[in-house]
Amino acid sequence: MSKLIVCTSGLEPDRKRDLQRHTPTLNIEVVPDLTPECTVRSLLTRRFSDPRPPAPLTVRAACVPPAPPQHLVADTVLSEKYLAAVTWRIPVVSYEWVEASLTNGEPIDEEEYLLRPLHRLVICLSGLSFSTADRHSIEALVQREGGAYSASLDRHCTHLVTDSASGDKYMKCCAESTLQHVRIVTPAWLADSIARGACANGNDFAVRAPPPSSGMRAAAPAPLDAVFGPRLCAQAVPQLFLSDCVL
């Protein structure tokens, strides 16, 4: 049987070492890059709200090589490797898949161990359009999909979901250095991540205020029903799009 090629992202050093140690048992090969020949489009590392012009994105080879890794063992949904794996429909699994495979004596089916779309994310909401009922529903959705909900904006938050470039939380997020890592995104980011079963790229849903000198007013937010409709909130855990990969 040919070796299973895997790559890692966001794992603790001790887990990386354990994975390397178990490669003979599982007949796997751990590679450092998601693909041996191609790399992915690099992400903007600057804050979304930074008023300076963004640095140009570096685009390297955008092809899928002949033998890409067949699994990404990850503990984050925010890395370049994760986004590339989602694009190329490579299953993204938790380290528990490795442990279960060791118990089984060989790699097992990945479906039960696919990383949830909001894995380890901490979501905070801001905006008058979020009613109390909305917030409770979204909190349940976030927890169901592997994340945590925070009513207050603090350094533990990873995302601020807001319907406009205004409000106390938005201004605090832009002003305080301890919150520079927080991604400011629209409600559509959250809905898209949940619907697709994979964390969406925050760059595509970033909240940006119009330039002060433009005289433009921020666009009115879309009604929440158009973003978080009853169907999305009531549905069972969505079928993860990676689960139908043929390995």
Side-chain angles (χ1 to χ4, degrees), residues 47-69:
R47 293 268 304 126
F48 293 136
S49 56
D50 194 325
R52 296 172 297 173
L57 290 171
T58 301
V59 181
R60 283 162 271 179
C63 59
V64 178

PDB file of all heavy atoms in Angstrom, residues 47-69:
ATOM      1  N   ARG A  47      -3.742  44.591   9.501  1.00  0.00           N
ATOM      2  CA  ARG A  47      -5.117  44.717   9.962  1.00  0.00           C
ATOM      3  C   ARG A  47      -6.030  45.178   8.826  1.00  0.00           C
ATOM      4  O   ARG A  47      -5.667  45.980   7.990  1.00  0.00           O
ATOM      5  CB  ARG A  47      -5.183  45.800  11.059  1.00  0.00           C
ATOM      6  CG  ARG A  47      -4.456  45.427  12.316  1.00  0.00           C
ATOM      7  CD  ARG A  47      -5.383  44.741  13.293  1.00  0.00           C
ATOM      8  NE  ARG A  47      -6.507  45.603  13.563  1.00  0.00           N
ATOM      9  CZ  ARG A  47      -7.752  45.212  13.417  1.00  0.00           C
ATOM     10  NH1 ARG A  47      -8.025  44.023  13.013  1.00  0.00           N
ATOM     11  NH2 ARG A  47      -8.743  46.049  13.674  1.00  0.00           N
ATOM     12  N   PHE A  48      -7.253  44.645   8.828  1.00  0.00           N
ATOM     13  CA  PHE A  48      -8.229  45.051   7.829  1.00  0.00           C
ATOM     14  C   PHE A  48      -8.513  46.550   7.920  1.00  0.00           C
ATOM     15  O   PHE A  48      -8.779  47.202   6.918  1.00  0.00           O
ATOM     16  CB  PHE A  48      -9.540  44.288   8.039  1.00  0.00           C
ATOM     17  CG  PHE A  48      -9.440  42.820   7.766  1.00  0.00           C
ATOM     18  CD1 PHE A  48     -10.023  41.909   8.627  1.00  0.00           C
ATOM     19  CD2 PHE A  48      -8.771  42.342   6.649  1.00  0.00           C
ATOM     20  CE1 PHE A  48      -9.952  40.553   8.388  1.00  0.00           C
ATOM     21  CE2 PHE A  48      -8.695  40.995   6.406  1.00  0.00           C
ATOM     22  CZ  PHE A  48      -9.280  40.089   7.280  1.00  0.00           C
ATOM     23  N   SER A  49      -8.469  47.102   9.141  1.00  0.00           N
ATOM     24  CA  SER A  49      -8.832  48.501   9.336  1.00  0.00           C
ATOM     25  C   SER A  49      -7.646  49.443   9.196  1.00  0.00           C
ATOM     26  O   SER A  49      -7.779  50.636   9.408  1.00  0.00           O
ATOM     27  CB  SER A  49      -9.453  48.675  10.724  1.00  0.00           C
ATOM     28  OG  SER A  49      -8.564  48.210  11.719  1.00  0.00           O
ATOM     29  N   ASP A  50      -6.471  48.909   8.869  1.00  0.00           N
ATOM     30  CA  ASP A  50      -5.292  49.758   8.730  1.00  0.00           C
ATOM     31  C   ASP A  50      -5.522  50.754   7.606  1.00  0.00           C
ATOM     32  O   ASP A  50      -5.838  50.374   6.481  1.00  0.00           O
ATOM     33  CB  ASP A  50      -4.083  48.866   8.412  1.00  0.00           C
ATOM     34  CG  ASP A  50      -2.759  49.614   8.593  1.00  0.00           C
ATOM     35  OD1 ASP A  50      -2.735  50.818   8.300  1.00  0.00           O
ATOM     36  OD2 ASP A  50      -1.784  48.986   9.012  1.00  0.00           O
ATOM     37  N   PRO A  51      -5.404  52.067   7.875  1.00  0.00           N
ATOM     38  CA  PRO A  51      -5.687  53.056   6.838  1.00  0.00           C
ATOM     39  C   PRO A  51      -4.641  53.097   5.738  1.00  0.00           C
ATOM     40  O   PRO A  51      -4.881  53.650   4.677  1.00  0.00           O
ATOM     41  CB  PRO A  51      -5.703  54.378   7.622  1.00  0.00           C
ATOM     42  CG  PRO A  51      -4.824  54.115   8.812  1.00  0.00           C
ATOM     43  CD  PRO A  51      -5.067  52.677   9.171  1.00  0.00           C
ATOM     44  N   ARG A  52      -3.471  52.518   5.983  1.00  0.00           N
ATOM     45  CA  ARG A  52      -2.431  52.536   4.955  1.00  0.00           C
ATOM     46  C   ARG A  52      -2.813  51.608   3.804  1.00  0.00           C
ATOM     47  O   ARG A  52      -3.525  50.628   4.005  1.00  0.00           O
ATOM     48  CB  ARG A  52      -1.094  52.094   5.551  1.00  0.00           C
ATOM     49  CG  ARG A  52      -0.552  53.026   6.617  1.00  0.00           C
ATOM     50  CD  ARG A  52       0.650  52.413   7.286  1.00  0.00           C
ATOM     51  NE  ARG A  52       0.283  51.186   7.982  1.00  0.00           N
ATOM     52  CZ  ARG A  52       1.169  50.356   8.544  1.00  0.00           C
ATOM     53  NH1 ARG A  52       2.449  50.618   8.474  1.00  0.00           N
ATOM     54  NH2 ARG A  52       0.758  49.285   9.182  1.00  0.00           N
ATOM     55  N   PRO A  53      -2.337  51.875   2.588  1.00  0.00           N
ATOM     56  CA  PRO A  53      -2.620  50.975   1.468  1.00  0.00           C
ATOM     57  C   PRO A  53      -2.069  49.592   1.775  1.00  0.00           C
ATOM     58  O   PRO A  53      -0.959  49.456   2.307  1.00  0.00           O
ATOM     59  CB  PRO A  53      -1.870  51.620   0.289  1.00  0.00           C
ATOM     60  CG  PRO A  53      -1.671  53.037   0.697  1.00  0.00           C
ATOM     61  CD  PRO A  53      -1.533  53.040   2.187  1.00  0.00           C
ATOM     62  N   PRO A  54      -2.821  48.537   1.483  1.00  0.00           N
ATOM     63  CA  PRO A  54      -2.346  47.193   1.791  1.00  0.00           C
ATOM     64  C   PRO A  54      -1.163  46.807   0.918  1.00  0.00           C
ATOM     65  O   PRO A  54      -1.032  47.252  -0.216  1.00  0.00           O
ATOM     66  CB  PRO A  54      -3.571  46.313   1.468  1.00  0.00           C
ATOM     67  CG  PRO A  54      -4.333  47.100   0.461  1.00  0.00           C
ATOM     68  CD  PRO A  54      -4.130  48.549   0.830  1.00  0.00           C
ATOM     69  N   ALA A  55      -0.292  46.001   1.491  1.00  0.00           N
ATOM     70  CA  ALA A  55       0.832  45.491   0.717  1.00  0.00           C
ATOM     71  C   ALA A  55       0.306  44.576  -0.384  1.00  0.00           C
ATOM     72  O   ALA A  55      -0.699  43.884  -0.189  1.00  0.00           O
ATOM     73  CB  ALA A  55       1.771  44.720   1.632  1.00  0.00           C
ATOM     74  N   PRO A  56       0.921  44.568  -1.534  1.00  0.00           N
ATOM     75  CA  PRO A  56       0.429  43.707  -2.614  1.00  0.00           C
ATOM     76  C   PRO A  56       0.539  42.241  -2.237  1.00  0.00           C
ATOM     77  O   PRO A  56       1.473  41.830  -1.557  1.00  0.00           O
ATOM     78  CB  PRO A  56       1.358  44.058  -3.787  1.00  0.00           C
ATOM     79  CG  PRO A  56       2.578  44.635  -3.159  1.00  0.00           C
ATOM     80  CD  PRO A  56       2.111  45.333  -1.915  1.00  0.00           C
ATOM     81  N   LEU A  57      -0.439  41.480  -2.653  1.00  0.00           N
ATOM     82  CA  LEU A  57      -0.412  40.047  -2.396  1.00  0.00           C
ATOM     83  C   LEU A  57       0.654  39.378  -3.258  1.00  0.00           C
ATOM     84  O   LEU A  57       0.830  39.725  -4.419  1.00  0.00           O
ATOM     85  CB  LEU A  57      -1.776  39.419  -2.721  1.00  0.00           C
ATOM     86  CG  LEU A  57      -2.910  39.778  -1.771  1.00  0.00           C
ATOM     87  CD1 LEU A  57      -4.215  39.275  -2.331  1.00  0.00           C
ATOM     88  CD2 LEU A  57      -2.663  39.200  -0.396  1.00  0.00           C
ATOM     89  N   THR A  58       1.349  38.449  -2.664  1.00  0.00           N
ATOM     90  CA  THR A  58       2.351  37.693  -3.402  1.00  0.00           C
ATOM     91  C   THR A  58       1.695  36.473  -4.004  1.00  0.00           C
ATOM     92  O   THR A  58       1.110  35.660  -3.287  1.00  0.00           O
ATOM     93  CB  THR A  58       3.495  37.262  -2.470  1.00  0.00           C
ATOM     94  OG1 THR A  58       4.067  38.422  -1.895  1.00  0.00           O
ATOM     95  CG2 THR A  58       4.554  36.489  -3.246  1.00  0.00           C
ATOM     96  N   VAL A  59       1.750  36.337  -5.287  1.00  0.00           N
ATOM     97  CA  VAL A  59       1.145  35.197  -5.950  1.00  0.00           C
ATOM     98  C   VAL A  59       2.244  34.356  -6.566  1.00  0.00           C
ATOM     99  O   VAL A  59       2.991  34.821  -7.414  1.00  0.00           O
ATOM    100  CB  VAL A  59       0.147  35.639  -7.042  1.00  0.00           C
ATOM    101  CG1 VAL A  59      -0.491  34.427  -7.692  1.00  0.00           C
ATOM    102  CG2 VAL A  59      -0.910  36.543  -6.455  1.00  0.00           C
ATOM    103  N   ARG A  60       2.325  33.146  -6.070  1.00  0.00           N
ATOM    104  CA  ARG A  60       3.281  32.226  -6.651  1.00  0.00           C
ATOM    105  C   ARG A  60       2.516  31.220  -7.498  1.00  0.00           C
ATOM    106  O   ARG A  60       1.416  31.494  -7.934  1.00  0.00           O
ATOM    107  CB  ARG A  60       4.086  31.544  -5.536  1.00  0.00           C
ATOM    108  CG  ARG A  60       5.164  32.475  -4.948  1.00  0.00           C
ATOM    109  CD  ARG A  60       5.634  31.990  -3.596  1.00  0.00           C
ATOM    110  NE  ARG A  60       4.784  32.557  -2.553  1.00  0.00           N
ATOM    111  CZ  ARG A  60       4.934  32.293  -1.272  1.00  0.00           C
ATOM    112  NH1 ARG A  60       5.891  31.496  -0.872  1.00  0.00           N
ATOM    113  NH2 ARG A  60       4.142  32.832  -0.391  1.00  0.00           N
ATOM    114  N   ALA A  61       3.090  30.071  -7.732  1.00  0.00           N
ATOM    115  CA  ALA A  61       2.428  29.103  -8.607  1.00  0.00           C
ATOM    116  C   ALA A  61       1.051  28.766  -8.075  1.00  0.00           C
ATOM    117  O   ALA A  61       0.886  28.514  -6.892  1.00  0.00           O
ATOM    118  CB  ALA A  61       3.281  27.838  -8.708  1.00  0.00           C
ATOM    119  N   ALA A  62       0.059  28.775  -8.935  1.00  0.00           N
ATOM    120  CA  ALA A  62      -1.321  28.536  -8.508  1.00  0.00           C
ATOM    121  C   ALA A  62      -1.839  27.222  -9.053  1.00  0.00           C
ATOM    122  O   ALA A  62      -3.012  27.068  -9.336  1.00  0.00           O
ATOM    123  CB  ALA A  62      -2.221  29.677  -8.978  1.00  0.00           C
ATOM    124  N   CYS A  63      -0.961  26.268  -9.227  1.00  0.00           N
ATOM    125  CA  CYS A  63      -1.369  24.987  -9.785  1.00  0.00           C
ATOM    126  C   CYS A  63      -1.457  23.945  -8.685  1.00  0.00           C
ATOM    127  O   CYS A  63      -0.938  24.116  -7.596  1.00  0.00           O
ATOM    128  CB  CYS A  63      -0.371  24.521 -10.836  1.00  0.00           C
ATOM    129  SG  CYS A  63       1.299  24.323 -10.198  1.00  0.00           S
ATOM    130  N   VAL A  64      -2.133  22.871  -8.970  1.00  0.00           N
ATOM    131  CA  VAL A  64      -2.170  21.741  -8.064  1.00  0.00           C
ATOM    132  C   VAL A  64      -1.167  20.718  -8.588  1.00  0.00           C
ATOM    133  O   VAL A  64      -1.287  20.261  -9.724  1.00  0.00           O
ATOM    134  CB  VAL A  64      -3.581  21.113  -8.011  1.00  0.00           C
ATOM    135  CG1 VAL A  64      -3.586  19.905  -7.097  1.00  0.00           C
ATOM    136  CG2 VAL A  64      -4.584  22.155  -7.540  1.00  0.00           C
ATOM    137  N   PRO A  65      -0.162  20.338  -7.814  1.00  0.00           N
ATOM    138  CA  PRO A  65       0.878  19.448  -8.295  1.00  0.00           C
ATOM    139  C   PRO A  65       0.368  18.022  -8.472  1.00  0.00           C
ATOM    140  O   PRO A  65      -0.736  17.692  -8.030  1.00  0.00           O
ATOM    141  CB  PRO A  65       1.927  19.533  -7.188  1.00  0.00           C
ATOM    142  CG  PRO A  65       1.142  19.847  -5.969  1.00  0.00           C
ATOM    143  CD  PRO A  65       0.022  20.735  -6.428  1.00  0.00           C
ATOM    144  N   PRO A  66       1.153  17.168  -9.079  1.00  0.00           N
ATOM    145  CA  PRO A  66       0.703  15.802  -9.340  1.00  0.00           C
ATOM    146  C   PRO A  66       0.352  15.029  -8.080  1.00  0.00           C
ATOM    147  O   PRO A  66      -0.538  14.212  -8.098  1.00  0.00           O
ATOM    148  CB  PRO A  66       1.912  15.174 -10.051  1.00  0.00           C
ATOM    149  CG  PRO A  66       2.657  16.326 -10.626  1.00  0.00           C
ATOM    150  CD  PRO A  66       2.462  17.451  -9.669  1.00  0.00           C
ATOM    151  N   ALA A  67       1.076  15.249  -6.964  1.00  0.00           N
ATOM    152  CA  ALA A  67       0.838  14.453  -5.761  1.00  0.00           C
ATOM    153  C   ALA A  67       0.753  15.338  -4.522  1.00  0.00           C
ATOM    154  O   ALA A  67       1.674  15.384  -3.714  1.00  0.00           O
ATOM    155  CB  ALA A  67       1.941  13.417  -5.595  1.00  0.00           C
ATOM    156  N   PRO A  68      -0.342  16.071  -4.363  1.00  0.00           N
ATOM    157  CA  PRO A  68      -0.475  16.906  -3.169  1.00  0.00           C
ATOM    158  C   PRO A  68      -0.768  16.036  -1.958  1.00  0.00           C
ATOM    159  O   PRO A  68      -1.177  14.881  -2.103  1.00  0.00           O
ATOM    160  CB  PRO A  68      -1.673  17.792  -3.503  1.00  0.00           C
ATOM    161  CG  PRO A  68      -2.502  16.953  -4.405  1.00  0.00           C
ATOM    162  CD  PRO A  68      -1.531  16.157  -5.229  1.00  0.00           C
ATOM    163  N   PRO A  69      -0.558  16.568  -0.749  1.00  0.00           N
ATOM    164  CA  PRO A  69      -0.937  15.813   0.447  1.00  0.00           C
ATOM    165  C   PRO A  69      -2.406  15.431   0.399  1.00  0.00           C
ATOM    166  O   PRO A  69      -3.240  16.158  -0.126  1.00  0.00           O
ATOM    167  CB  PRO A  69      -0.635  16.797   1.580  1.00  0.00           C
ATOM    168  CG  PRO A  69       0.423  17.687   1.025  1.00  0.00           C
ATOM    169  CD  PRO A  69       0.087  17.842  -0.430  1.00  0.00           C
TER     170      PRO A  69
END
